[in-house]
Amino acid sequence: MGKIIAIANQKGGVGKTTTTINLAASLASLGQKVLIVDADPQANATSGYGIDPRTMASSIYECLVDGYPLKGSQVQTMIEGLDLVGSRIDLAGAELELINKPDRENVMRNLLNQVVDDYDYILIDCSPSLGIITVNALTAAHSVIIPVQAEYFALEGITKLLNTIRIIKSKLNPGLEIEGFLLTMYDARLRLANQIYEDLKSHFADMVFDTVIPRNIKLSEAPSHGLPVILYDRESRGATSHLMLAKEIVGRKS
């Protein structure tokens, strides 16, 4: 059975989608079979692979709201072994449409059960909110990666997210674990960035990944070309750091 990992933080701009796109590509390059589920109405994980949402026969919206099967809604990416269930702007309305759905918190879990045996890893790119779709993602997931930006307000909001995870663990998904806190946009030259890393380590100890994701121009440029950084510039620090992260995660599983 595959491992389902939600990538979540209700704070925007911390690198959730960048992490999803590039971790998935790195895992696939290590020979893992991977599925990305783009659960963000902005659909940046979809466009980050050069996929136009208008060309998809179905998206995660149709699966969640209209009962389309997830199996068959995947599209192949340019990386062997890496599939994607895309998103589009319609997903913004799904929050309201799911409110009256029976067993609404388990819709995504039931969908992912259709394909969980087909993949080694399923990564869910969550939106920057703690609405019903993110609750669905956390209810479906085995674990959650929490990207944390190496900036002043980095730890702001983590308490709220951890409280949400605690509630979901107690009421909906007892098996949910924190895969790790991932420091993103890290610049080792800045005293503040190093201080934030130390603060994370002192608060969360072994739950902080050894790998940190640096600020890197290639990492920023790659999505505009519809490519993960490992294909855009394999030798860049952005590519090598995500490959290290993938190895760290695979090492934990084995």
Side-chain angles (χ1 to χ4, degrees):
M1 187 174 78
K3 185 169 192 178
I4 303 170
I5 303 176
I7 296 167
N9 189 331
Q10 82 276 12
K11 193 174 186 302
V14 298
K16 288 186 295 295
T17 301
T18 299
T19 300
T20 304
I21 290 170
N22 293 297
L23 173 57
S26 298
L27 286 166
S29 77
L30 295 176
Q32 305 295 307
K33 188 94 168 68
V34 185
L35 174 68
I36 294 174
V37 176
D38 189 349
D40 186 345
Q42 296 175 84
N44 290 335
T46 304
S47 61
Y49 273 95
I51 296 164
D52 184 344
R54 294 170 298 184
T55 65
M56 299 183 304
S58 59
S59 70
I60 192 63
Y61 170 82
E62 284 82 10
C63 295
L64 288 169
V65 174
D66 297 328
Y68 280 44
L70 195 87
K71 205 176 185 75
S73 294
Q74 309 102 310
V75 294
Q76 290 184 313
T77 69
M78 73 284 283
I79 294 180
E80 187 180 350
L82 175 55
D83 297 337
L84 178 138
V85 175
S87 178
R88 39 180 160 235
I89 193 65
D90 301 13
L91 190 62
E95 296 278 341
L96 288 174
E97 294 177 80
L98 284 172
I99 283 174
N100 296 318
K101 210 172 179 76
D103 201 23
R104 62 187 182 187
E105 294 89 358
N106 283 298
V107 179
M108 191 176 292
R109 174 190 272 168
N110 294 335
L111 288 168
L112 292 181
N113 281 343
Q114 300 169 19
V115 298
V116 70
D117 291 329
D118 299 337
Y119 296 95
D120 297 303
Y121 291 94
I122 297 174
L123 304 184
I124 309 172
D125 184 29
C126 298
S127 66
S129 75
L130 293 177
I132 188 67
I133 295 174
T134 299
V135 168
N136 258 265
L138 294 172
T139 302
H142 299 123
S143 65
V144 55
I145 290 175
I146 304 172
V148 180
Q149 189 177 359
E151 291 193 357
Y152 182 67
F153 292 114
L155 302 179
E156 186 184 82
I158 285 183
T159 304
K160 189 175 178 184
L161 177 61
L162 292 178
N163 191 47
T164 301
I165 290 170
R166 230 180 338 263
I167 292 167
I168 287 171
K169 199 173 162 74
S170 67
K171 296 183 182 299
L172 297 166
N173 183 6
L176 182 64
E177 301 292 344
I178 294 174
E179 187 75 25
F181 292 86
L182 175 67
L183 195 64
T184 62
M185 306 177 203
Y186 178 74
D187 187 339
R189 299 168 300 176
L190 301 179
R191 184 183 302 168
L192 178 62
N194 290 300
Q195 183 61 52
I196 288 165
Y197 184 70
E198 292 306 317
D199 287 349
L200 271 179
K201 274 288 193 186
S202 66
H203 278 91
F204 302 111
D206 292 343
M207 285 194 289
V208 182
F209 285 108
D210 293 332
T211 304
V212 297
I213 307 300
R215 282 197 178 276
N216 179 249
I217 190 66
K218 300 296 184 184
L219 202 52
S220 303
E221 289 173 353
S224 67
H225 296 270
L227 293 170
V229 72
I230 201 168
L231 292 185
Y232 182 64
D233 186 346
R234 193 179 182 90
E235 303 304 315
S236 68
R237 288 171 63 232
T240 55
S241 61
H242 280 95
L243 196 55
M244 285 171 59
L245 176 64
K247 288 175 178 173
E248 195 172 342
I249 288 169
V250 171
R252 289 179 176 192
K253 190 179 178 186
S254 58

